[in-house]
Amino acid sequence: MRLILLLLTALMPTLATAGAWPREVGGVFLSFSTTTKASPQVHATGIAELAHSSESNLYAEYGLTERVTLGFDGMMTDSVSYGEAYLFARVALGSLEAQNRFAASFAIGRFIDTVIDVDHLEAEHTALTRLGLHYGRGVTNGWIGADVFATQTDHGTDLKIDATWGLKPWDRWMFIAQVQTGQPSGGDSYTNFAPSVVWRMNKRVSIEVSVIQPLEDNGDTALKLGSWTEF
């Protein structure tokens, strides 16, 4: 059942990640989002009280150098079911002026799961290690990109690939289409389509609305509302 929980977590990635492009030196980016599923997901214990219907995500980046971006990527459910958090570093590869951009990332994290044993509740921690490869290319009024992740857990290696096409036809509006695929270790593969609309309120703050639609029969449609803040 732990693999199912990891799969559910993977279905809700943050579209605000910069992928192959590094954050500018000294720049800070924050993204907070809440994802609500059509129906509650029951925890691995099968206990209804631990069912959750929404997940909250916090993502942050800081431009350390012109090539190195540091960050935090975490999520938790609206109940005591589970959550995870990563600290990561992403390094730009090759020329920073090239049309085709590449980067590699490394992250360490913890997966926190609730354990129920008759008369007490406790949290079980699992160490996580994640490697990522990132590609991006600017196109007319937008960009295309791909992100490949391999996450090592106690059960094996989870694989995930996100392909993204972004369009910015106007200064305040951005449209993003993402296909998310993955293969958890020992679990079922999945494919999602996640279109998003991003509206820039002002120089620093943008609002994101996204729908996550599973293309296979292993998940529920979800709605994500989020904010992006840049300093």
Side-chain angles (χ1 to χ4, degrees):
M1 296 301 293
R2 178 72 58 77
L3 293 175
I4 296 177
L5 296 178
L6 288 172
L7 171 59
L8 292 174
T9 299
L11 298 183
M12 310 301 174
T14 303
L15 293 177
T17 56
W21 287 273
R23 186 65 49 184
E24 65 179 13
V25 178
V28 176
F29 176 86
L30 298 175
S31 171
F32 177 78
S33 64
T34 298
T35 303
T36 302
K37 287 176 279 291
S39 61
Q41 303 295 310
V42 180
H43 184 261
T45 59
I47 298 177
E49 287 78 4
L50 293 181
H52 68 276
S53 60
S54 67
E55 299 175 355
S56 297
N57 293 76
L58 176 63
Y59 180 87
E61 285 187 351
Y62 172 73
L64 182 65
T65 71
E66 65 177 9
R67 286 187 176 272
V68 179
T69 299
L70 303 180
F72 172 85
D73 188 2
M75 65 78 61
M76 64 180 295
T77 64
D78 62 356
S79 66
V80 293
S81 297
Y82 66 94
E84 67 176 11
Y86 292 93
L87 293 175
F88 69 84
R90 189 174 65 246
V91 180
L93 306 175
S95 172
L96 296 178
E97 305 300 326
Q99 186 174 21
N100 295 300
R101 299 293 189 94
F102 298 91
S105 63
F106 173 76
I108 56 174
R110 305 288 289 183
F111 180 80
I112 304 173
D113 190 17
T114 301
V115 179
I116 306 294
D117 184 11
V118 185
D119 59 353
H120 76 281
L121 180 151
E122 64 182 36
E124 182 178 292
H125 297 256
T126 302
L128 302 172
T129 303
R130 186 177 70 189
L131 298 177
L133 293 176
H134 314 272
Y135 166 78
R137 177 186 175 93
V139 296
T140 303
N141 294 329
W143 75 97
I144 57 174
D147 302 277
V148 181
F149 295 100
T151 303
Q152 185 65 39
T153 73
D154 286 350
H155 303 277
T157 302
D158 297 341
L159 300 177
K160 184 162 76 78
I161 301 175
D162 296 336
T164 306
W165 174 59
L167 179 66
K168 191 177 182 181
W170 306 291
D171 184 55
R172 288 182 175 269
W173 291 93
M174 185 185 309
F175 302 95
I176 302 173
Q178 187 176 73
V179 176
Q180 309 157 1
T181 63
Q183 176 61 69
S185 55
D188 295 329
S189 62
Y190 65 88
T191 303
N192 298 324
F193 177 60
S196 297
V197 176
V198 181
W199 173 57
R200 186 170 65 85
M201 293 180 58
N202 52 50
K203 183 178 180 180
R204 298 190 183 279
V205 180
S206 299
I207 301 299
E208 173 194 10
V209 179
S210 178
V211 175
I212 297 100
Q213 177 60 54
L215 300 181
E216 301 176 5
D217 297 329
N218 59 354
D220 296 312
T221 301
L223 174 67
K224 184 172 76 171
L225 300 176
S227 64
W228 302 0
T229 305
E230 298 182 74
F231 300 96

